[in-house]
Amino acid sequence: MGGGPRLDARRPADLLAARRAARERAGARPAHVCRGARHRRDRPRRQHRSDHRRGGRALAPRADERDGSPDPAAGGVRVPARARHAVARHHQRGARARPHVQHGRGGAVHQRAARCHPPPPRTRMTTTQESDQVLQRRANLEELRRLGVAPYPNRFDRQASIDGIVRAHGGKTGEELDAARTTTRTAGRILAIRSFGKANFLVLSDGKARIQVYIREDSLPARDFQIFKLLDFGDWVGVEGQLFRTKTKEFTIRASRLEFLAKCLLPLPEKWHGLTDVEIRYRQRYLDLIVNPEARQVFELRSRVVTAIREFLVGRGFLEVETPMMQSIPGGALARPFVTHHNALDIPLYMRVAPELYLKRLVVGGIERVFEINRNFRNEGMSAQHNPEFTMLEFYWSYADYTDLMSLTEDLLVEVAQTALGTDELRYGDHTIALKKPFPRLLLREVVRAAASKRLGVDVAPDDLRARDRAAALAARLGIEVTPGMGAGAITVEMFERLCEQDLVQPTFVHDFPTEVSPLSKQKPDDPETVERFELYVAGMEIANAFSELNDPAEQRRRFEAQLRARAAGQEEAHALDEDYVRALEYGMPPAAGEGIGVDRLVMLLTNSHSIRDVICDPVSADEAEVAGSR
RNA sequence: GGGCCGGUAGCUCAAUUGGCAGAGCAGCAGACUCUUAAUCUGCGGGUUGCAGGUUCGAUUCCUGCCCGGCUCACCA
């Protein structure tokens, strides 16, 4: 796929762009037909928003939509070919007005099935889809039934996956294949059908690889060829046959048997342009996966990343645990939780915003190294970097402090990138990012001071960030809004977010945060206004948040009380007081350091994805049923 | 929440000052013995996101709403 040098096949948008470029080079169609598509596909070079939660570890993501199921209400009537069009027209008129039920064997069955399932889905595509194409596909299904072919057989004795066949034999020459006379038996979804009278070709996919199948009437049992004639784009089939190369050198299975495995009743997105509508890509990820191979690559890489993280930590003696997702006091981060209710206990429960306090309880219990990779839920805004539920790695390391964590983080990122990608050089948008340790370590206040000085053209003094009134005055000069509840520390962090964050492209540790915004972190021995905390930024995104853990129960109680005051002052995200957590600390927690890493964002980085929704299989979106009527 | 852009056939996209809503792919019928975006001939397919308004006439102009993208703000 010869895109430009800046195209990255790992990134769906790039692959699509390359496809488009290829087509335009071929002069197949005037460029203007793609204008809208390009517009829609284009992404910003960089996101300027970054999440930052004062205090707890905090990496929230963002979201969008989900799928909508197809309307199963169409009928399954087998329609004589000459009558099909008339039926389709009639059908469409009816479909707009009310849920349309056709009376027929298949139709009745589907109708019943639909009632058994959750909310009756009505997608925007549904009603019009009940037109020709669906009717035709249903008719083909009924025709198979009539031939005595089980339309949904229970199993298929597959000998090899398409991917396995391609890897084992795909490199062989035609002569080698002919000599070997290898017969195989595999299965997949039909992604293309090309017919030439007596020579017919299918392209099958197993999701990872594709293979061509050659079908001739005279080399198949009659029944199997009948099946072939009733196939539609998207159906699942099994084939058996010998491997060979066609005249055009295409690696191919010469089918001697064909079995029908499952019907695709709804038309799939077009093969050439693929699926570019991001809304459908997120709502109906299965369609994205079927037609855009690069979508699959993202999720495979995500899996390798998570595995690599796990192996890295386990190899260093960390114990993986799972702590409560539903908590009666949501803690560990400054974020608004989702609320639910337990009926039997008749109590409210909160979806966790972080596992932090539970993991540290385990450290109190003597698990010296512990980690969890799991979901957090935050009931807040969504953006290209924020999904309401997102995956977070948190780990705690006894007898270590935050400087140890910086070194460990460097090792972790480099190793994960090497394992999952095979390189420590990343391309992200226009940037090349080098994951080379050591990463620069910059003091938060120095970063802010430098940025503010540059912005204002004057020398900002360190004390300007220490005193509340001077910090507020500085913020005002910078055009940054400050609320009465914000102290010097919060103002400093606000300035950091506005002025500095987005420019931290190469991996950079920003450390030593104000105590005010870090209720769970340990102060520096010589500076109680500052805690031993850092955040790691890459590509302008907050990737990690870590600190030496506060283990003095009295100080922790004071911090919680400060949070309660903030809460009383209207800051909903402030921490609640978790008495049991303080009690745990009273039993004694060893010195320890802990860190949270946003897994989704890490995967974004490694896959050159610019929206968190590209790395989450099913990002949150409004219920399609709710909005169907208006679309 | 504000601003900008968008929503037209299953998919990707057109539609010139408001004047019969189109193309390619997909589908259907036919031709074709190695194609691969197969090709060729023919044919179907639309409540133009929803609801109002202006107009002889609205995809087009106006109002409201819904959905999406980007962005600013909020969350912080």
Side-chain angles (χ1 to χ4, degrees):
Chain A
M1 155 137 304
R6 287 172 50 192
L7 294 174
D8 182 348
R10 290 196 311 267
R11 183 181 167 199
D14 281 348
L15 191 131
L16 294 166
R19 242 184 228 172
R20 185 177 62 238
R23 199 204 55 240
E24 282 172 10
R25 273 197 305 277
R29 200 161 309 143
H32 75 266
V33 301
C34 292
R35 199 179 53 220
R38 178 184 300 115
H39 184 102
R40 204 177 296 178
R41 274 196 294 270
D42 276 353
R43 307 223 173 125
R45 276 186 299 284
R46 198 170 66 216
Q47 302 298 335
H48 292 299
R49 292 251 325 139
S50 160
D51 184 67
H52 180 108
R53 237 139 280 261
R54 297 176 176 165
R57 284 165 187 94
L59 300 156
R62 158 286 176 105
D64 209 326
E65 30 254 74
R66 193 173 54 220
D67 96 71
S69 321
D71 185 339
V77 188
R78 194 159 67 82
V79 187
R82 65 184 176 282
R84 275 176 203 148
H85 293 144
V87 171
R89 275 195 300 275
H90 170 77
H91 182 106
Q92 276 186 322
R93 277 196 296 274
R96 288 287 182 180
R98 70 194 80 88
H100 189 82
V101 184
Q102 291 229 350
H103 301 288
R105 288 162 290 181
V109 167
H110 280 84
Q111 192 63 14
R112 264 196 305 280
R115 292 205 191 92
C116 298
H117 286 290
R122 281 203 316 134
T123 75
R124 69 171 166 175
M125 40 173 68
T126 305
T127 49
T128 50
Q129 258 183 358
E130 302 301 330
S131 56
D132 298 13
Q133 300 203 36
V134 176
L135 272 182
Q136 182 58 40
R137 284 162 182 263
R138 289 187 184 283
N140 286 342
L141 179 68
E142 288 309 311
E143 183 66 16
L144 282 174
R145 261 191 241 275
R146 205 183 60 77
L147 290 171
V149 175
Y152 294 99
N154 290 40
R155 91 183 287 276
F156 174 74
D157 185 19
R158 187 179 76 165
Q159 287 176 348
S161 66
I162 291 169
D163 180 52
I165 293 167
V166 170
R167 276 189 288 131
H169 306 285
K172 295 179 181 170
T173 65
E175 292 72 30
E176 288 166 339
L177 290 171
D178 290 343
R181 302 172 70 86
T182 307
T183 293
T184 190
R185 191 174 160 80
T186 190
R189 187 192 285 276
I190 298 171
L191 292 190
I193 303 175
R194 294 185 285 271
S195 290
F196 304 82
K198 288 183 180 151
N200 305 279
F201 297 91
L202 299 179
V203 176
L204 295 191
S205 165
D206 67 355
K208 292 184 84 167
R210 297 175 177 194
I211 197 167
Q212 178 169 270
V213 178
Y214 177 53
I215 292 179
R216 290 183 61 94
E217 180 163 14
D218 54 17
S219 49
L220 282 179
R223 170 183 172 278
D224 293 13
F225 193 72
Q226 294 240 289
I227 291 173
F228 165 75
K229 288 193 290 187
L230 293 168
L231 293 180
D232 287 299
F233 179 44
D235 289 354
W236 293 87
V237 294
V239 298
E240 185 177 315
Q242 221 176 75
L243 298 173
F244 76 111
R245 278 188 189 276
T246 62
K247 282 179 191 166
T248 50
K249 305 296 182 205
E250 178 84 6
F251 184 60
T252 303
I253 300 173
R254 188 191 311 271
S256 53
R257 293 299 309 272
L258 177 69
E259 282 189 41
F260 189 80
L261 300 181
K263 192 69 192 169
C264 176
L265 288 171
L266 304 177
L268 291 173
E270 191 215 6
K271 61 187 170 190
W272 178 242
H273 295 91
L275 180 64
T276 57
D277 183 329
V278 294
E279 187 180 352
I280 298 178
R281 284 186 45 224
Y282 298 145
R283 277 185 193 268
Q284 296 177 269
R285 181 67 80 184
Y286 45 87
L287 291 180
D288 190 28
L289 288 167
I290 291 167
V291 300
N292 295 329
E294 57 279 7
R296 167 75 170 251
Q297 289 165 19
V298 166
F299 296 113
E300 287 186 354
L301 188 131
R302 181 179 177 126
S303 172
R304 290 202 296 275
V305 166
V306 172
T307 302
I309 291 171
R310 197 165 262 137
E311 286 171 354
F312 177 92
L313 290 170
V314 169
R316 281 165 180 72
F318 285 80
L319 180 76
E320 182 170 10
V321 298
E322 292 177 81
T323 61
M325 296 278 202
M326 306 178 80
Q327 306 175 347
S328 48
I329 301 172
L334 305 188
R336 215 178 303 179
F338 287 92
V339 190
T340 185
H341 181 260
H342 190 285
N343 287 345
L345 294 175
D346 192 24
I347 56 168
L349 283 176
Y350 302 88
M351 305 301 290
R352 76 178 187 191
V353 294
E356 172 151 354
L357 302 185
Y358 284 88
L359 289 169
K360 283 193 278 193
R361 284 172 166 100
L362 298 176
V363 175
V364 170
I367 302 180
E368 295 182 358
R369 301 178 188 194
V370 65
F371 78 101
E372 176 166 6
I373 299 173
N374 227 323
R375 226 70 68 82
N376 289 346
F377 308 86
R378 295 184 184 174
N379 201 346
E380 297 179 355
M382 304 192 299
S383 76
Q385 295 178 20
H386 301 77
N387 194 62
E389 56 175 313
F390 61 101
T391 301
M392 177 99 116
L393 160 69
E394 280 201 18
F395 56 95
Y396 292 83
W397 184 9
S398 298
Y399 313 117
D401 71 4
Y402 75 143
T403 61
D404 298 309
L405 285 180
M406 290 192 223
S407 304
L408 188 76
T409 303
E410 289 165 346
D411 291 338
L412 174 68
L413 288 196
V414 171
E415 187 167 321
V416 165
Q418 285 289 0
T419 306
L421 268 187
T423 176
D424 55 13
E425 265 206 4
L426 314 177
R427 282 234 318 282
Y428 194 78
D430 293 336
H431 302 293
T432 299
I433 292 168
L435 293 179
K436 303 265 195 266
K437 47 192 178 185
F439 305 159
R441 304 180 180 191
L442 307 179
L443 285 162
L444 173 73
R445 289 191 181 91
E446 287 307 305
V447 173
V448 172
R449 211 159 63 81
S453 298
K454 190 175 166 198
R455 179 72 67 98
L456 297 174
V458 300
D459 232 20
V460 172
D463 282 351
D464 288 338
L465 299 176
R466 291 287 189 160
R468 204 270 166 191
D469 52 344
R470 293 175 69 170
L474 183 59
R477 289 172 64 192
L478 289 161
I480 292 169
E481 209 177 312
V482 166
T483 61
M486 293 167 73
I491 293 169
T492 301
V493 170
E494 184 71 19
M495 289 191 277
F496 171 74
E497 290 173 359
R498 301 264 179 246
L499 304 180
C500 314
E501 218 174 76
Q502 67 201 47
D503 296 325
L504 297 172
V505 173
Q506 296 301 321
T508 306
F509 291 116
V510 175
H511 64 97
D512 290 13
F513 277 64
T515 304
E516 178 190 344
V517 298
S518 314
L520 301 165
S521 312
K522 199 170 210 170
Q523 288 145 310
K524 296 181 77 73
D526 57 349
D527 179 7
E529 283 179 35
T530 304
V531 293
E532 294 189 348
R533 171 179 170 195
F534 71 82
E535 292 181 348
L536 173 65
Y537 285 85
V538 187
M541 285 192 290
E542 180 191 343
I543 296 294
N545 181 13
F547 38 86
S548 302
E549 302 297 339
L550 174 59
N551 61 346
D552 174 346
E555 174 64 14
Q556 183 64 74
R557 182 176 291 281
R558 283 193 290 275
R559 302 274 189 92
F560 274 144
E561 284 165 352
Q563 289 293 308
L564 290 180
R565 285 193 295 278
R567 210 177 165 80
Q571 191 187 331
E572 276 186 69
E573 297 73 26
H575 251 286
L577 172 54
D578 188 334
E579 282 289 356
D580 178 69
Y581 177 67
V582 175
R583 178 170 65 185
L585 293 185
E586 284 170 345
Y587 282 100
M589 182 169 85
E595 176 163 345
I597 292 181
V599 172
D600 312 272
R601 287 184 184 175
L602 182 57
V603 174
M604 286 171 67
L605 207 57
L606 297 175
T607 55
N608 195 14
S609 298
H610 292 236
S611 169
I612 196 166
R613 285 169 297 172
D614 287 328
V615 302
I616 293 175
C617 291
D618 294 283
V620 169
S621 65
D623 183 0
E624 197 169 7
E626 297 280 320
V627 303
S630 59
R631 294 151 59 94

